[in-house]
C-alpha cells in the first residue's frame, strides 16, 4: 500500500506472467497506469525500467489476473454479525479474489433496484474486491413470481438466481428461463430437489445411517438437473448449475453440453477436495449444502473439471458464526467460508497432477468471468489492473482463526495447502500484501 | 487414570468398545443384579459423588433407572429436565456445559433428541458422560442391558440369531444393539418395511429381511422396536393396522421362531401396534420385565466403572 509516484505508473518486473485467457505462461513484466493495465509481455522492460516508475520486483513469482469468485454469500444487509461487505472484502483480497458475485439471500433479499444499488455502492466505498450482485430470480426468493429482471440488470445485477434456494416449481423455472432469454440473461440454479433434501443433513448412505442422521440422496441433485435440462431445451434459456457435487450431476451436464444446450456449471473446492468422511465425529464445519458426497462422487467432480464439463470453481463462501455451528449437527447451519482457501485448494488440482497450473487458474479467473459476461479475469492491455501475485509452491497450514472473514467456519481448517497470495491489486492499487 | 478393564472417560456409544470391555461391564452388572435383589440394596461406592441426569427428551423409565442406579451406589443424584429450564429458554448446549462445570459434578447422564449432541457436550464438560440416548445415533446402556438380559437367559451371546424388528431408521436402540451383538459374535437380522430400514444399513454386518415369516425362522431372540410416532416425520407406513398385519409380533409369527425364542422390547410398548399383548405378557417367552431389572444393574455398573477413573477428592463437599 506504499505511496505511489505522481506518474501513476507501476512496473511489475521479474514475474511469471500467467494469463489463462490466452494461455500465456512466461517470464516477463506488466505495467499498470493508474487503474488499468498499460502493457504486458515477455519483452517488456528488457532494457530496464524507465525512471519515474514505481517498481515491484515479483522475484519470479506468479502474476495473474485477480480471482473471480462467482458464488459468495456476503450476509450484508441483514446478518452483519456473520460477515459484512468490509470483512468479506478483506477476506477476498487476502485470498487473491478481486471480483466476487454475491447471492441475493440477504435480509432484505436483493430483489429490488435499491438493494442492488446499495450493495454496489457500499462495496465501491470500501474499495477492496469488486462486488457484483446476483439478483433474485423470483420476488423475495419465494419461487413464485418473477423478479423485475430487466430493471435489476440495468441497476447492475449480473444474473438471476434464488441463491441457496432451488427454484422448485417447474412452471416458474420455465418462465424464468423464458423471460430471461428475452434479454439474454443467465439463470443460476441451486440444483437440489427440495422435497428430497428436506430434513437431510448429509450424504445419504451407510455413514449417515451409522451417525443417526437423515441423509440427502444423490438423486436430489440429479432429479433437479434432469428436470432443468428439459426446461432449458424447451425454452432456449441460458442456465448455470451451481456447486455440482455428484457423479450423476456431472454426467447430466456432460450430456446436456454434448446436445448443445446453453448450460454451464461450477463446483466448489470442498466437492473436489473432501468427501463425506469430513463430517465424521459430527463436524458441523463440514456440514455444507449440497452435502459432501462419496469418494466416487469427488473423483467424478475432478474428472468433470479435467474434461471441461465443469466450467468454473467458486468458493461458495457461506459465513456462519460460532452460535450457528457449535451446536448439535442437526441444528447447525449449512455452509463454510471459502474466500481465503479458494486459490490454494484449487491449485491442489495442479499440484496433484490433474491439470496444469494455468488450467487450474483458468477455473477461477477467465472461465467464471466469461460465463457472467465480465471483463475481469484477463491480463489484457486496457483492462482494469486487478491482479494477484502468488507463490504457487509455498506451503502453509490453513488456520481459520487467522482469517480476515468475520466467520471462521472453514471445512479446511488445519489442512496443509500449497500456494500463497503475496499481493493483491485492485484497479492498480495494492490492497493486500502478505507480511512475510 | 481410567480402569484397565474399561479405558474410556465417557460412555458415548457401543461403537468403538472392545468385546472385552463389554464383557467387563456385563460381569460387573451381574453382581449388582444380586445386590438389587437383596434387602440391603445400598452401597456407598459413590458416596460424595454427584450425578446429574440431564434429559432433553421426556423419559420416565431411563431417567428413573439411572436415578435408582446412582442412589443405590450412594451418589447424590439430581434430575434436570429440559422443560421449563434454561435449556428451554434458549441456552446453548455449550453454555449449559459451562454451567455444569461450575457445579463440579462427577457424572453427567444425557439424553438429547439430536444425534451427536451428547458427544458435543462431552467435549466441553470436565466430568464423565454417559449417553442416555442421542437422536437416532446410540443408546449404549440399553444395548448393554439387552445383552445382560439375553446372556442370563441363554447363557451366551455368541452364535445366537437375533432379529431386530421394526423402525430401525429412527432407532438408536437398534444401532447400539447392532454394534454390540456384532462385537459379541451374535448373528443380527433386521426385519421391517423398506421405508423403516435406512440406506446402507445392509453394510453394518446384518442380514436384512422384509418378511417376518422368513426373518424370524430359526431365531433365538426377537427384539421388537417401538414405532416412534413422534419421530415419524413423514408417512413411513400407511397405517398402524397395515403395519401390525405385516410386522406386528403376534402368536402366529412368534411360532416361526425357535420354540424357545424370547421376546424383548425396549419400552414403552405400543400394544397392538408392534406387539400383541398376548405375547408381550407371556411370562415364558417375554423378557420385557427382566430388561427393566437389568437396566438398573447395568447402569450401576457403568457409573461404577466410569467413576473409578475420577480423582478421589472431586465432588466431596
Amino acid at each position: 500500500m506504499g505511496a505511489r509516484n505522481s506518474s501513476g505508473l507501476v512496473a511489475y518486473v521479474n514475474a511469471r506472467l500467467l494469463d489463462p485467457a490466452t494461455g500465456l505462461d512466461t517470464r516477463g513484466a506488466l505495467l499498470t497506469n493508474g487503474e488499468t493495465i498499460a502493457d504486458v509481455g515477455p519483452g517488456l522492460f528488457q532494457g530496464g525500467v524507465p525512471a519515474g516508475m514505481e517498481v515491484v520486483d515479483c522475484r519470479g513469482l506468479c502474476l495473474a489476473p485477480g480471482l473471480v469468485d462467482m458464488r459468495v454469500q456476503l450476509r450484508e444487509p441483514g446478518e452483519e454479525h456473520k460477515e459484512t461487505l468490509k470483512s468479506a472484502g478483506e477476506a477476498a483480497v487476502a485470498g487473491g479474489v478481486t471480483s466476487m458475485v454475491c447471492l441475493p439471500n440477504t435480509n432484505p433479499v436483493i430483489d429490488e433496484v435499491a438493494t442492488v444499488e446499495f450493495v454496489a455502492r457500499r462495496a465501491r466505498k470500501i474499495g477492496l474486491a469488486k462486488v457484483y450482485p446476483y439478483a433474485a430470480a423470483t420476488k423475495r426468493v419465494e419461487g413464485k413470481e418473477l423478479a423485475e429482471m430487466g430493471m435489476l440488470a440495468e441497476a447492475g445485477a449480473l444474473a438471476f438466481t434464488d441463491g441457496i434456494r432451488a427454484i422448485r416449481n417447474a412452471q416458474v423455472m420455465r418462465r424464468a428461463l423464458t423471460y430471461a432469454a428475452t434479454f439474454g440473461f443467465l439463470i443460476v440454479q441451486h440444483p437440489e430437489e427440495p422435497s428430497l433434501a428436506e430434513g437431510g443433513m448429509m450424504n445419504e448412505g451407510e455413514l449417515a445411517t451409522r451417525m443417526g442422521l437423515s441423509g440427502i440422496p444423490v438423486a436430489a441433485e440429479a432429479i433437479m438437473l434432469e428436470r432443468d435440462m428439459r426446461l432449458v431445451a424447451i425454452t432456449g434459456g441460458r442456465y448455470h448449475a451451481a456447486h455440482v457435487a455428484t457423479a450423476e450431476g456431472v454426467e447430466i451436464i456432460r450430456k446436456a453440453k454434448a446436445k448443445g444446450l446453453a448450460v454451464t456449471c461450477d463446483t466448489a473446492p470442498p466437492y473436489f477436495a473432501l468427501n463425506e468422511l469430513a463430517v465424521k465425529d459430527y463436524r458441523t464445519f463440514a456440514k455444507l449444502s449440497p452435502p459432501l458426497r462419496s469418494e466416487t462422487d469427488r473423483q467424478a467432480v475432478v474428472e468433470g473439471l479435467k474434461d471441461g464439463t465443469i466450467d468454473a470453481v467458486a468458493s461458495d463462501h457461506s459465513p456462519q458464526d460460532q452460535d450457528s455451528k457449535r451446536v448439535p449437527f442437526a441444528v447447525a447451519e449449512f455452509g463454510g467460508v471459502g474466500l481465503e482457501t479458494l486459490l490454494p485448494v484449487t491449485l491442489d488440482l495442479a499440484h496433484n497432477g490433474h491439470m496444469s497450473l494455468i488450467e487450474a487458474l483458468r477455473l477461477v479467473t477467465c472461465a467464471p468471468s466469461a460465463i457472467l459476461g465480465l471483463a475481469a479475469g484477463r491480463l489484457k492491455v486496457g483492462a482494469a489492473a486487478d491482479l494477484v501475485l502468488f507463490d504457487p509452491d509455498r506451503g502453509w497450514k490453513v488456520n481459520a482463526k487467522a482469517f480476515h472473514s468475520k466467520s471462521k467456519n472453514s471445512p479446511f481448517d488445519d489442512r496443509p495447502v500449497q500456494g500463497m497470495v503475496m499481493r493483491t491489486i485492485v484497479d492498480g492499487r495494492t490492497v493486500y500484501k502478505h507480511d512475510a | 487414570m481410567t480402569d484397565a478393564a474399561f479405558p474410556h472417560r465417557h460412555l458415548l456409544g457401543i461403537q468403538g468398545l472392545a468385546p472385552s470391555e463389554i464383557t467387563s461391564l456385563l460381569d460387573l452388572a451381574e453382581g449388582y443384579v444380586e445386590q438389587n435383589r437383596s434387602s440391603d440394596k445400598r452401597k456407598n461406592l459413590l458416596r460424595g459423588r454427584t450425578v446429574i441426569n440431564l434429559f432433553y427428551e421426556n423419559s420416565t423409565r431411563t431417567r428413573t433407572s439411572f436415578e435408582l442406579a446412582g442412589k443405590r451406589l450412594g451418589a447424590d443424584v439430581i434430575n434436570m429436565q429440559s422443560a421449563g429450564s434454561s435449556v428451554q429458554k434458549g441456552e446453548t448446549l455449550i453454555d449449559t456445559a459451562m454451567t455444569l462445570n461450575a457445579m463440579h459434578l462427577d457424572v453427567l447422564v444425557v439424553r438429547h433428541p439430536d444425534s451427536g449432541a451428547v458427544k458435543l457436550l462431552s467435549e466441553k464438560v470436565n466430568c464423565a458422560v454417559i449417553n442416555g440416548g442421542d437422536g437416532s445415533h446410540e443408546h449404549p446402556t440399553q444395548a448393554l442391558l439387552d445383552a445382560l438380559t439375553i446372556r442370563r437367559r441363554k447363557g451366551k451371546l455368541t452364535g445366537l440369531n437375533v432379529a431386530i424388528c421394526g423402525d430401525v431408521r429412527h432407532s438408536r436402540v437398534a444401532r447400539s444393539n447392532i454394534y454390540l451383538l456384532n462385537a459379541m459374535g451374535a448373528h443380527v437380522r433386521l426385519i421391517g418395511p423398506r421405508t423403516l430400514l435406512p440406506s446402507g444399513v445392509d453394510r453394518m454386518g446384518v442380514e436384512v429381511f422384509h418378511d417376518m415369516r422368513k426373518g424370524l425362522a430359526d431365531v433365538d431372540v426377537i427384539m421388537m422396536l417401538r414405532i416412534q410416532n413422534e419421530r415419524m416425520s413423514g408417512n413411513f407406513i400407511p397405517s398402524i393396522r397395515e403395519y401390525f398385519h405385516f410386522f406386528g409380533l403376534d402368536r402366529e409369527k412368534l411360532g416361526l421362531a425357535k420354540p424357545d425364542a424370547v421376546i424383548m422390547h425396549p419400552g414403552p410398548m405400543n400394544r397392538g401396534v408392534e406387539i400383541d399383548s398376548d405375547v408381550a405378557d407371556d411370562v415364558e417367552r417375554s423378557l420385557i420385565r427382566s430388561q427393566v431389572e437389568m437396566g438398573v444393574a447395568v447402569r450401576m455398573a457403568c457409573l461404577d466403572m466410569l467413576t473409578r477413573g475420577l480423582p478421589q477428592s472431586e465432588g466431596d463437599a
Side-chain angles (χ1 to χ4, degrees):
Chain A
M1 283 163 240
R4 281 191 294 123
N5 55 16
S6 53
S7 71
L9 296 172
V10 185
Y12 296 86
V13 299
N14 196 20
R16 178 180 171 189
L17 297 170
L18 288 168
D19 185 17
T22 59
L24 178 80
D25 180 354
T26 181
R27 286 291 272 226
L30 184 145
L31 176 68
T32 65
N33 183 1
E35 297 186 358
T36 55
I37 298 173
D39 204 352
V40 59
L44 186 63
F45 304 131
Q46 288 243 312
V49 181
M53 287 183 188
E54 181 186 337
V55 177
V56 176
D57 183 357
C58 298
R59 297 165 198 262
L61 299 180
C62 296
L63 186 65
L67 273 49
V68 177
D69 188 346
M70 70 181 299
R71 190 178 178 87
V72 297
Q73 294 183 51
L74 297 186
R75 304 283 183 236
E76 183 179 344
E79 290 185 286
E80 286 84 353
H81 59 292
K82 293 182 176 177
E83 192 83 288
T84 61
L85 285 164
K86 182 151 194 293
S87 65
E90 284 163 355
V93 296
V97 174
T98 55
S99 295
M100 50 185 169
V101 191
C102 62
L103 295 183
N105 309 87
T106 44
N107 184 17
V109 166
I110 305 178
D111 64 351
E112 289 196 25
V113 167
T115 334
V116 171
E117 286 173 346
F118 166 81
V119 171
R121 191 171 60 244
R122 280 274 294 144
R124 257 198 318 277
K125 233 176 138 181
I126 291 160
L128 295 166
K130 294 168 182 171
V131 177
Y132 301 93
Y134 286 114
T138 70
K139 291 189 179 111
R140 299 171 296 279
V141 295
E142 280 174 352
K144 292 175 185 158
E145 303 162 60
L146 297 183
E148 294 170 326
M149 293 188 201
M151 293 172 73
L152 288 161
E154 279 187 355
L158 272 195
F160 299 89
T161 178
D162 280 359
I164 58 170
R165 286 198 201 171
I167 300 173
R168 77 188 295 175
N169 183 306
Q171 184 68 283
V172 171
M173 185 52 140
R174 179 188 182 180
R175 292 199 176 123
L177 283 164
T178 307
Y179 187 75
T182 313
F183 303 93
F185 299 152
L186 179 72
I187 298 288
V188 179
Q189 171 76 308
H190 171 81
E192 183 173 70
E193 168 51 44
S195 58
L196 284 174
E198 199 183 326
M201 301 155 203
M202 63 174 289
N203 186 38
E204 183 174 290
E206 181 187 352
L207 184 61
T209 292
R210 284 183 183 272
M211 291 173 74
L213 296 172
S214 307
I216 301 174
V218 161
E221 180 170 294
I223 286 172
M224 191 54 96
L225 284 174
E226 291 273 19
R227 182 203 79 172
D228 286 350
M229 292 310 107
R230 287 168 188 274
L231 295 175
V232 170
I234 61 171
T235 59
R238 283 177 62 216
Y239 176 94
H240 179 86
H243 49 54
V244 171
T246 68
E248 288 190 37
V250 173
E251 189 53 30
I252 291 163
I253 299 287
R254 188 176 285 132
K255 283 189 177 143
K257 285 186 165 186
K259 273 192 207 160
L261 298 180
V263 170
T264 52
C265 73
D266 69 72
T267 192
Y271 305 114
F272 59 80
L274 299 171
N275 63 29
E276 63 174 341
L277 293 175
V279 306
K280 256 185 120 173
D281 293 327
Y282 301 96
R283 288 192 62 234
T284 56
F285 282 16
K287 182 181 177 182
L288 307 178
S289 173
L292 292 168
R293 296 293 187 179
S294 70
E295 176 59 14
T296 314
D297 290 308
R298 187 194 69 79
Q299 288 173 10
V301 170
V302 171
E303 284 307 310
L305 287 163
K306 282 166 74 171
D307 72 11
T309 301
I310 301 176
D311 303 87
V313 170
S315 72
D316 205 17
H317 184 75
S318 309
Q320 300 290 0
D321 59 354
Q322 298 282 319
D323 289 348
S324 310
K325 284 289 194 182
R326 298 270 189 217
V327 291
F329 201 89
V331 290
E333 296 278 1
F334 288 96
V337 290
L339 281 166
E340 288 164 86
T341 47
L342 177 62
L343 180 67
V345 182
T346 302
L347 291 184
D348 269 0
L349 292 166
H351 293 305
N352 294 339
H354 295 303
M355 56 183 71
S356 68
L357 182 64
I358 201 159
E359 285 165 339
L361 208 55
R362 182 187 164 77
L363 296 165
V364 286
T365 54
C366 62
S369 85
I371 293 167
L372 297 165
L374 285 170
R378 296 169 179 80
L379 293 186
K380 200 175 157 193
V381 174
D386 296 345
L387 307 166
V388 59
L389 180 68
F390 68 95
D391 182 338
D393 299 317
R394 184 151 161 191
W396 55 289
K397 203 169 177 187
V398 177
N399 175 14
K401 280 193 200 83
F403 279 171
H404 295 74
S405 176
K406 246 185 166 175
S407 293
K408 316 295 179 193
N409 55 308
S410 170
F412 295 117
D413 202 11
D414 283 336
R415 182 189 175 96
V417 290
Q418 240 183 311
M420 184 178 271
V421 174
M422 305 309 292
R423 184 192 278 253
T424 305
I425 297 127
V426 172
D427 285 338
R429 285 174 299 120
T430 292
V431 290
Y432 172 80
K433 231 167 134 177
H434 184 71
D435 299 330
Chain B
M1 276 292 290
T2 46
D3 194 275
F6 194 80
H8 304 279
R9 189 171 158 224
H10 308 298
L11 177 63
L12 300 178
I14 300 294
Q15 194 176 20
L17 294 187
S20 63
E21 293 161 12
I22 293 167
T23 302
S24 302
L25 283 171
L26 297 180
D27 292 347
L28 187 59
E30 288 279 7
Y32 286 119
V33 175
E34 298 317 312
Q35 186 192 316
N36 287 338
R37 286 179 178 177
S38 69
S39 56
D40 180 17
K41 298 181 176 58
R42 274 191 78 112
K43 227 178 152 179
N44 285 328
L45 204 62
L46 264 63
R47 199 172 63 85
R49 299 282 190 198
T50 306
V51 177
I52 292 189
N53 291 328
L54 178 61
F55 277 60
Y56 290 85
E57 276 184 343
N58 287 330
S59 156
T60 310
R61 114 182 12 223
T62 305
R63 187 184 50 71
T64 309
S65 182
F66 270 112
E67 186 176 353
L68 254 172
K71 286 182 170 164
R72 285 190 178 161
L73 291 172
D76 296 323
V77 183
I78 294 159
N79 293 318
M80 284 171 66
Q81 287 276 5
S82 68
S85 73
S86 56
V87 169
Q88 284 262 302
K89 291 171 196 152
E91 185 177 75
T92 68
L93 218 47
I94 289 170
D95 288 339
T96 303
M98 296 306 140
T99 308
L100 292 170
N101 281 342
M103 294 178 182
H104 301 288
L105 64 157
D106 299 285
V107 184
L108 180 66
V109 180
V110 191
R111 167 167 289 191
H112 198 284
D114 292 324
S115 301
V118 179
K119 181 179 188 299
L120 178 64
L121 249 180
S122 76
E123 288 162 1
K124 307 290 169 187
V125 294
N126 300 329
C127 59
V129 173
I130 297 177
N131 183 355
D134 65 321
S136 307
H137 178 224
E138 282 230 42
H139 191 353
T141 58
Q142 178 71 42
L144 287 164
L145 75 88
D146 287 343
L148 184 62
T149 308
I150 298 170
R151 204 176 76 166
R152 284 173 65 93
R153 169 62 81 99
K154 298 286 182 187
K156 60 175 182 178
L157 293 165
T158 312
L160 294 178
N161 291 326
V162 182
I164 303 176
C165 311
D167 184 6
V168 175
R169 173 182 291 271
H170 300 98
S171 177
R172 52 197 175 209
V173 173
R175 285 171 179 76
S176 289
N177 266 313
I178 291 169
Y179 295 132
L180 188 147
L181 292 165
N182 270 334
M184 304 309 285
H187 307 295
V188 182
R189 300 175 179 187
L190 304 179
I191 314 174
R194 288 176 185 269
T195 45
L196 295 180
L197 296 170
S199 158
V201 80
D202 52 315
R203 288 195 288 274
M204 291 176 69
V206 298
E207 246 188 301
V208 175
F209 293 86
H210 306 295
D211 182 345
M212 290 281 269
R213 284 156 220 288
K214 290 181 186 150
L216 288 181
D218 214 26
V219 151
D220 299 285
V221 178
I222 306 169
M223 289 184 168
M224 299 307 295
L225 297 173
R226 178 181 162 76
I227 284 288
Q228 309 201 17
N229 286 319
E230 68 271 22
R231 264 184 229 184
M232 303 288 273
S233 59
N235 291 310
F236 291 95
I237 50 170
S239 72
I240 297 300
R241 189 173 75 158
E242 174 153 329
Y243 183 79
F244 185 73
H245 179 68
F246 290 100
F247 298 101
L249 187 66
D250 56 15
R251 187 64 64 182
E252 190 205 334
K253 293 190 192 102
L254 178 60
L256 300 162
K258 279 189 182 167
D260 62 346
V262 291
I263 303 158
M264 302 173 74
H265 193 296
M269 279 183 284
N270 296 305
R271 291 169 184 268
V273 177
E274 70 264 353
I275 191 162
D276 197 43
S277 288
D278 176 38
V279 294
D281 299 332
D282 182 338
V283 289
E284 294 298 310
R285 312 291 292 273
S286 170
L287 297 181
I288 296 170
R289 263 191 295 174
S290 170
Q291 286 174 277
V292 179
E293 183 187 2
M294 295 308 123
V296 180
V298 153
R299 286 164 182 133
M300 289 169 82
C302 292
L303 288 170
D304 177 351
M305 198 67 102
L306 287 176
T307 47
R308 290 180 190 184
L310 296 175
Q312 278 310 312
S313 59
E314 267 267 304
D316 281 327

